[in-house]
Amino acid sequence: MHTENMNMLWAGLLIEQFDRAGVDCFCLSPGSRSTPLVAALAGRPGWKPIVHYDERGAAFYALGHARATGRPAVCVTTSGTAAANLFPAVMEAARSRIPIILLTADRPPELRDTGANQAVDQVNLFGRYARWFFDLPCPTREMDPRAVLTVAAQALHHATRRPRGPVHINCSFREPLEPRPDGRDVSDYLEPVSGWLAQSSVYGEHVAPVGTPDPDALDALAASIRSARRGLVVVGQLADETETFAVQALVRALDWPALPDITSGLRVGGGAECLIPYYDLLLASDAFRLRHAPDVILQVGGRLTSRRLLDYLASARPSPYALVSDHPDRDQPHHRATINIESDVAAFCEALLPRVEGAGNQEWLNAWRSASQAADRKIDELLAGSNALSEPAVARLVTRWAGRDDGLVLASSMPVRDANTFGDGNAPCLRLASNRGASGIDGTVATAAGFAGGLGRPTTLLIGDLALLHDLNSLALARNGAVPFVVVALNNNGSGIFHFLPVAGHADLFEKYFGAPHGLRFKEAAAMFGWKYHAPADLPSFEAAYTRARSEPGATLLEISTDRIANHALHLDWQAQVVAAVEQHV
Ligand SMILES: Cc1ncc(C[n+]2csc(CCOP(=O)(O)OP(=O)(O)O)c2C)c(N)n1
Ligand SMILES: [Mg+2]
């Protein structure tokens, strides 16, 4: 424990509580007001805090780490705009329900609202995006040290109880900020926490309730499921492997067609016969959609990536449409769920499983499965026809070539959609992540670096050129990771996704304001940040470069050039060919 002065002592109390709770990721950005927190962290033997000069990237790193481990990660900033730079990651953490703890340093009250340097209003800075906020006063002997410890315990509790999310402690400090001894004895002050100091447990730990489902709702749902003829499971974003395995066991027992979102962990390498990886393409067929209307829908987990799936769910008339999630919020823009069941997702699956085993209808399942297999074969046939690098081909092959249990982070825009549509359902099981809470294109490299750090496994990031430009300085964050880190950058010189929107038909507006070409290449950026770099020109050289990069320590940037207009045309062509193949099975 630091005891040089009260600032150091309080900073030490907070950090010690987080350490005892198992927090092992601390991200810091340089600044003066946060000196006590930084000094308290830096002095701990064996710790390697992440230091990054951009608070936005530091917060996304924390988010990625927490996403991979399920444990909260802590981010420390100085005062002023530094704190505001955490906001995008806070939004994503709130929407994706990821536990992160933000410690922002602040001026003492006498310097707030006075025009003092680097002083802004940081109270409740993140509004309702923070699960909990606390304005910690300047360290003082007047306040019991146990109160400081319970602030940390509360922060941990609010970040990790369902729904998980970001919490914010605003920490005011008066000078001196550095660890200069003030010569005062602290033994009296610390006496109330002497018992805690002698142990290693969190003081004032909170135990969250176990989120089991309501038994009556479960029985009613089980009865509907058993009498369904055309039941469908939809699996949205799942928080961790425990949830993924629990959902996998449930869908196996149910034997209903299950449509897994790419962020569920079941879309690629899901390993259950009833999983339908290519539902997004099946639903592109009018004939398929019309003939495959479900009578009961069970949806578990968070948001869905596929617009076509959302439209299909919105046009269905099932009874019931049950939505299961571990939070009380609405996660259904179509307002179609007839019952929302709040429960821990794994606990729900375990409780429902024995009540519904064998409820499947083989004919209905086979119709989905054979259509999905036809789509799979057709995509492979399209791939085999050419050595050219296309965006769908790269998305499919990266899921196939990444090793078992590797990390794969999918940037917003086309990468996450292409992986959802074309990703190889039979590929090895991967740890997938995508910032789909708020779907920003910001902080993606930092998120992937944090994800790799938390996972401790080789990690690939599939990302578009604008998202990469947006977070370019995070190449500095990712260069020193302990595991191979590969960025596959699809450079189509602008926003490929907007070619799929009606605005693409407005030639006067489109290219300048939506396509937004920049003419930039990433070779020099890779060199500046000390990354290995290759620009493969065809599929065989991409495979060779990717396989090497994935097995070598260090960071590699693979830049793939594509053309936005050709990419749009290729999507339409592949979709039409897959739909034709699927319709032979309808
Ligand atoms: C921070 C932020 N700004 C703007 C957007 C809107 N937006 C969504 S996709 C996109 C284009 C992304 O381009 P790129 O990363 O190159 O991917 P591509 O569309 O080419 O696949 C933009 C600007 C966003 N989602 N997030
Ligand atoms: Mg692009």
Side-chain angles (χ1 to χ4, degrees), residues 391 413-415 439-442 464-467 470 492 494-498:
E391 296 187 25
S413 205
M414 292 310 287
S439 299
I441 58 162
D442 43 357
D465 48 305
L466 289 198
H470 208 297
N492 56 20
S495 314
I497 195 166
F498 297 143

Side-chain angles (χ1 to χ4, degrees), residues 55 77-87 104-105 120 122 125-126 168:
E55 290 79 6
T77 75
T78 189
S79 62
T81 58
N85 271 283
L86 305 176
F87 217 147
T104 58
V120 300
Q122 296 178 194
L125 181 63
F126 306 117
H168 176 200

Side-chain angles (χ1 to χ4, degrees), residues 166-180:
V167 296
H168 176 200
I169 307 177
N170 194 46
C171 308
S172 307
F173 292 113
R174 256 183 218 108
E175 293 171 12
L177 301 168
E178 71 280 13
R180 184 200 319 159

Side-chain angles (χ1 to χ4, degrees), residues 199-213:
Q199 305 159 357
S200 57
S201 54
V202 174
Y203 181 86
E205 189 179 6
H206 291 250
V207 179
V210 182
T212 49

